[in-house]
Amino acid sequence: MSRVAVFGAGYVGLVTGACLADLGHDVVVRDVVTERIERLRAGEVPIFEPGLDELLGRNAERLIYTLDVAEAVQDADFLYVAVGTPPTYSGDADLSAVWTVVDELSGLEGRAVMVMKSTVPVGTGARVRHRLDERGLEHVGYASNPEFTAEGTAVRDFQHPDRIVVGSFDDADGDAVEALHEGIDGPVVRCDVASAEMIKLAANAALMTRISFINEIANVCEATGADVVRVAEGVGLDRRIGPSFLRAGIGYGGSCFPKDSLALKQLAANSGYHFQLLNAVIEVNELQKRRVIGKLQQHLGSLRGKKVALLGVAFKPNTDDTREAPSLVLAGRLVAEGAHVRAWDPIAKIDDLPGVEQVETTEAALAGADAVVLVTEWPELADVDWAQARGAAGSAQPVFVDGRNMLDPDRMRESGWVYESIGRPSA
Ligand SMILES: NC(=O)c1ccc[n+]([C@@H]2O[C@H](COP(=O)([O-])OP(=O)(O)OC[C@H]3O[C@@H](n4cnc5c(N)ncnc54)[C@H](O)[C@@H]3O)[C@@H](O)[C@H]2O)c1
């Protein structure tokens, strides 16, 4: 069994640490946020991720949490980097946390392998390798082992991966990372570091492309009277295409897709290549979020003074993550139009958005509302009695925009809502 240091106690770092501990490895998780480490030491999980709580608890004797780099790296065989790589103003990935980890390393005597889990531009591994060498850490290996887990299903995704990608400069380092995953079944893709970095960016770009593709099909469906749900079903049954990521909606958000698409676009541009398709994917996604405003205006006219309930704040169900969530863009646009916005989410919080009130229950969000926008398809929303909820709404003709095509159009209209969705025929 190995000893693993994990830098970053966020969504990826904690899931990685918990799953590696579950395989029997000793794991030290290091973060720079004191409160985060203290909560973890007290047995609390600072993020919401299904199954993580139980996994950390079950493996508590193999997990240590620290603020101290020396404690983390002592006797470590692997140095997992799972720090954030947010976008900068230029769209490039901000790698400052990665460089801090590299520069803080000290006291490494044995042959530890640094393993990059954070999503980084192609070429980062080569630059990190160079910096390690400059710092006299030639004996520290390097591998890229990008993360493909999705928030909400991250534990299951880690334990049952579609594939494990390992890129390394030295085969022995790649072998070691592969061996660390013993006990997890899944195809292993071995390659060079640059290709591993590109696999992650390309996989995300492919998923985003499918989302923007089906959203554009949805928009054409709206203009022509077709139903995108049936269209996606019919298209997705083609074995060459498949059904995943063909659900039309108000666009993608989250901590990965928006930033990774910008980073790939910038990476291409910095290398002298104009990535036309990706530019279109990003633009379609931006416009898609805003189409909701048009649907509301079509029925309500000016939104000034109108009460709008936003159902769902998290960027998707089963997470408390609101980074780049469509709800934030929508709330901002609605407030700019003069609407009063009340937001509900079972877990996520909409912090610091002027003009937006967050309430605890769907009833409180719907009370007196002129319009409702379903933003996140939380399972709870399927159980709401929408006929009863209609009675609590404010206007005689309350408008309901189902941004995820979650609800049944006929039943919603029978319940008295002016129901609109994405890519399905209007009433
Ligand atoms: N969130 C996901 O589902 C997901 C999936 C695939 C890939 N990724 C990538 O993984 C990386 C991490 O994402 P995340 O969502 O876990 O981020 P996060 O913001 O949840 O966590 C990052 C953590 O790193 C800590 N940190 C910063 N500097 C540090 C340092 N010097 N030493 C130790 N810890 C430090 C932060 O305090 C924070 O707790 C990003 O590159 C992201 O793109 C994320």
Side-chain angles (χ1 to χ4, degrees):
M1 287 296 140
S2 299
R3 188 172 162 94
V4 184
V6 178
F7 290 84
Y11 290 88
V12 170
L14 284 178
V15 170
T16 302
C19 291
L20 290 178
D22 202 47
L23 289 174
H25 304 296
D26 288 317
V27 177
V28 186
V29 179
R30 192 255 170 166
D31 205 286
V32 287
V33 179
T34 310
E35 188 222 342
R36 195 157 265 230
I37 292 299
E38 279 171 358
R39 286 182 66 186
L40 284 161
R41 282 178 180 155
E44 282 176 47
V45 183
I47 56 166
F48 176 77
E49 182 59 50
L52 182 59
D53 219 344
E54 199 265 321
L55 202 62
L56 289 172
R58 176 145 54 87
N59 294 288
E61 85 269 15
R62 280 189 293 281
L63 281 157
I64 292 172
Y65 306 101
T66 186
L67 293 161
D68 183 16
V69 179
E71 184 182 4
V73 305
Q74 193 184 7
D75 302 325
D77 302 300
F78 297 92
L79 310 163
Y80 262 84
V81 181
V83 297
T85 49
T88 56
Y89 285 117
S90 63
D92 293 280
D94 177 356
L95 298 179
S96 52
V98 170
W99 294 123
T100 303
V101 173
V102 176
D103 290 341
E104 282 182 339
L105 292 178
S106 63
L108 283 163
E109 254 118 67
R111 180 163 179 89
V113 182
M114 173 175 271
V115 189
M116 189 59 68
K117 269 270 167 220
S118 297
T119 305
V120 294
V122 181
T124 303
R127 288 164 63 206
V128 172
R129 176 72 271 160
H130 185 66
R131 187 98 142 223
L132 289 170
D133 294 347
E134 272 180 349
R135 295 202 55 226
L137 295 169
E138 295 91 345
H139 60 290
V140 172
Y142 184 91
S144 166
N145 173 216
E147 187 52 68
F148 299 99
T149 52
E151 284 175 30
T153 53
V155 171
R156 190 199 66 198
D157 296 346
F158 194 103
Q159 294 178 330
H160 305 281
D162 291 343
R163 77 302 211 185
I164 298 169
V165 173
V166 181
S168 61
F169 297 112
D170 183 325
D171 283 348
D173 294 336
D175 293 345
V177 175
E178 196 176 333
L180 184 72
H181 289 82
E182 208 175 293
I184 295 182
D185 273 342
V188 178
V189 178
R190 291 286 297 271
C191 56
D192 57 283
V193 171
S195 300
E197 293 166 340
M198 186 52 114
I199 288 170
K200 172 63 192 171
L201 297 177
N204 272 359
L207 295 173
M208 288 178 264
T209 302
R210 285 177 71 104
I211 295 171
S212 281
F213 166 75
I214 200 65
N215 283 341
E216 288 227 278
I217 294 290
N219 298 343
V220 180
C221 284
E222 277 178 20
T224 55
D227 180 337
V228 76
V229 176
R230 296 277 83 82
V231 172
E233 184 189 352
V235 171
L237 281 168
D238 187 321
R239 259 173 299 169
R240 296 165 302 178
I241 299 172
S244 305
F245 280 72
L246 283 185
R247 281 192 65 177
I250 53 175
Y252 60 76
S255 65
C256 289
F257 283 178
K259 89 168 169 64
D260 293 346
S261 57
L262 283 180
L264 180 54
K265 174 184 152 177
Q266 267 320 112
L267 176 73
N270 296 345
S271 321
Y273 184 73
H274 179 61
F275 200 150
Q276 288 193 62
L277 180 61
L278 192 58
N279 280 319
V281 166
I282 295 167
E283 195 183 336
V284 167
N285 194 59
E286 278 316 304
L287 295 174
Q288 195 69 10
K289 285 181 255 184
R290 286 152 215 269
R291 282 176 68 88
V292 171
I293 305 292
K295 285 178 193 283
L296 292 174
Q297 284 167 332
Q298 190 190 324
H299 293 286
L300 297 172
S302 165
L303 299 180
R304 181 156 298 281
K306 298 287 185 328
K307 296 194 180 81
V308 182
L310 284 190
L311 301 181
V313 167
F315 84 92
K316 66 173 184 178
N318 292 318
T319 182
D320 58 353
D321 200 344
T322 59
R323 288 177 283 185
E324 301 289 334
S327 61
L328 304 181
V329 175
L330 269 177
R333 284 288 302 119
L334 287 166
V335 170
E337 293 291 334
H340 300 296
V341 180
R342 237 185 253 155
W344 164 87
D345 193 284
I347 297 178
K349 296 275 167 276
I350 203 160
D351 290 329
D352 301 330
L353 257 189
V356 181
E357 181 194 355
Q358 178 147 11
V359 293
E360 296 292 318
T361 61
T362 51
E363 288 84 357
L366 294 167
D370 299 297
V372 180
V373 184
L374 191 160
V375 186
T376 316
E377 64 276 41
W378 281 103
E380 290 80 336
L381 295 175
D383 299 332
V384 172
D385 181 340
W386 290 109
Q388 201 180 27
R390 153 80 186 80
S395 76
Q397 289 269 285
V399 179
F400 194 110
V401 180
D402 182 350
R404 301 293 174 187
N405 289 347
M406 184 182 182
L407 305 173
D408 181 68
D410 293 338
R411 286 183 59 189
M412 289 302 283
R413 288 181 187 127
E414 279 158 25
S415 303
W417 294 92
V418 177
Y419 178 83
E420 292 280 352
S421 50
I422 310 293
R424 298 194 286 186
S426 285

